[in-house]
């Protein structure tokens, strides 16, 4: 059981590191007024796209969740929704980081390729850490909850928890 708590803590640590890295990227300079203006347009377009994509996907996610609740079981549908929300959150964090890091990397490259690489790497690490941290925290957290509800019936828990991965993968696919 200690392994589960360790895994949960590792997920939290990854999320905290993603936040620290995002803050580190945010502290770098944006560049000239023209660069800031272009970056704002790119960021606005990227976030608008993401918002529209998630609005469209919400219909798909709700339909699949209803189908899972009716034909499989409600607990699987809840896990599916949790996985989908986890994926949406990770995608938002990643897009937020990427659109911040882009202009900062370009500006840093003016003076030092090493500094530019550091900013780009740190900005990219935010998405990786967010995906792993949110996924691990969600998966282990749900397992611990289901383990209490279904009295350590591992076969039943595994059947239900598969919905989490299905939800996260379904959203990430788009």
């Amino acid at each position: 059981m200690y392994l589960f708590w360790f895994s949960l803590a590792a997920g939290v640590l990854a999320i905290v590191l993603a936040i620290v890295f995002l803050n580190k990227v945010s502290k770098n300079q944006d560049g000239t007024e023209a660069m800031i203006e272009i970056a704002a347009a790119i960021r606005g377009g990227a976030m608008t796209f993401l918002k529209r994509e998630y609005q469209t996907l919400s219909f798909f996610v709700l339909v699949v969740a209803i189908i899972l609740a009716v034909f499989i079981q409600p607990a699987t549908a809840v896990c599916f929704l949790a996985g989908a929300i986890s994926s949406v959150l990770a995608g938002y964090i990643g897009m937020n980081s990427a659109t911040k890091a882009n202009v900062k990397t370009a500006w840093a490259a003016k003076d030092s390729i090493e500094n530019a690489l550091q900013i780009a790497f740190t900005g990219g690490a935010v998405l990786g850490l967010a995906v792993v941290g949110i996924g691990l925290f969600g998966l282990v957290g749900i397992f611990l909850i289901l383990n209490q509800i279904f009295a350590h019936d591992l076969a039943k828990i595994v059947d239900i928890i598969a919905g989490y991965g299905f939800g996260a993968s379904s959203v990430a696919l788009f």
Side-chain angles (χ1 to χ4, degrees), residues 84-133:
I85 291 167
S86 296
S87 187
V88 164
L89 183 58
Y92 177 82
I93 291 168
M95 185 69 80
N96 184 34
S97 174
T99 56
K100 282 184 179 182
N102 285 343
V103 69
K104 295 170 185 300
T105 300
W107 179 251
K110 178 179 149 276
D111 296 327
S112 162
I113 196 72
E114 291 85 13
N115 192 28
L117 179 61
Q118 182 66 34
I119 293 168
F121 182 80
T122 304
V126 171
L127 174 60
L129 288 165
V131 167
V132 170

Side-chain angles (χ1 to χ4, degrees), residues 54-167:
Y54 290 160
Q55 285 173 343
T56 302
L57 277 174
S58 65
F59 176 75
F60 167 78
V61 167
L62 288 174
V63 168
V64 172
I66 291 167
I67 291 168
L68 288 171
V70 171
F71 293 105
I72 307 293
Q73 65 177 305
T76 303
V78 170
C79 287
F80 175 81
L81 289 172
I85 291 167
S86 296
S87 187
V88 164
L89 183 58
Y92 177 82
I93 291 168
M95 185 69 80
N96 184 34
S97 174
T99 56
K100 282 184 179 182
N102 285 343
V103 69
K104 295 170 185 300
T105 300
W107 179 251
K110 178 179 149 276
D111 296 327
S112 162
I113 196 72
E114 291 85 13
N115 192 28
L117 179 61
Q118 182 66 34
I119 293 168
F121 182 80
T122 304
V126 171
L127 174 60
L129 288 165
V131 167
V132 170
I134 292 168
L136 189 57
F137 180 81
L139 191 61
V140 173
I142 289 172
F143 178 84
L144 291 171
I145 292 167
L146 292 175
N147 198 35
Q148 294 300 312
I149 293 172
F150 294 106
H152 310 288
D153 183 353
L154 193 57
K156 186 167 189 139
I157 293 168
V158 169
D159 284 345
I160 294 169
I161 210 166
Y164 182 84
F166 181 43

Side-chain angles (χ1 to χ4, degrees), residues 10-86:
V12 170
L13 179 62
I15 293 167
V16 168
L17 280 173
I19 293 166
V20 168
F21 283 7
L22 183 58
N23 287 334
K24 183 179 178 183
V25 167
S26 297
K27 290 180 182 176
N28 290 284
Q29 293 182 334
D30 288 330
T32 66
E33 286 296 321
M35 290 174 73
I36 293 169
E37 187 177 322
I38 292 167
I42 291 169
R43 181 179 179 78
M47 295 314 247
T48 300
F49 164 77
L50 208 57
K51 181 180 177 184
R52 181 68 179 131
E53 180 182 30
Y54 290 160
Q55 285 173 343
T56 302
L57 277 174
S58 65
F59 176 75
F60 167 78
V61 167
L62 288 174
V63 168
V64 172
I66 291 167
I67 291 168
L68 288 171
V70 171
F71 293 105
I72 307 293
Q73 65 177 305
T76 303
V78 170
C79 287
F80 175 81
L81 289 172
I85 291 167
S86 296

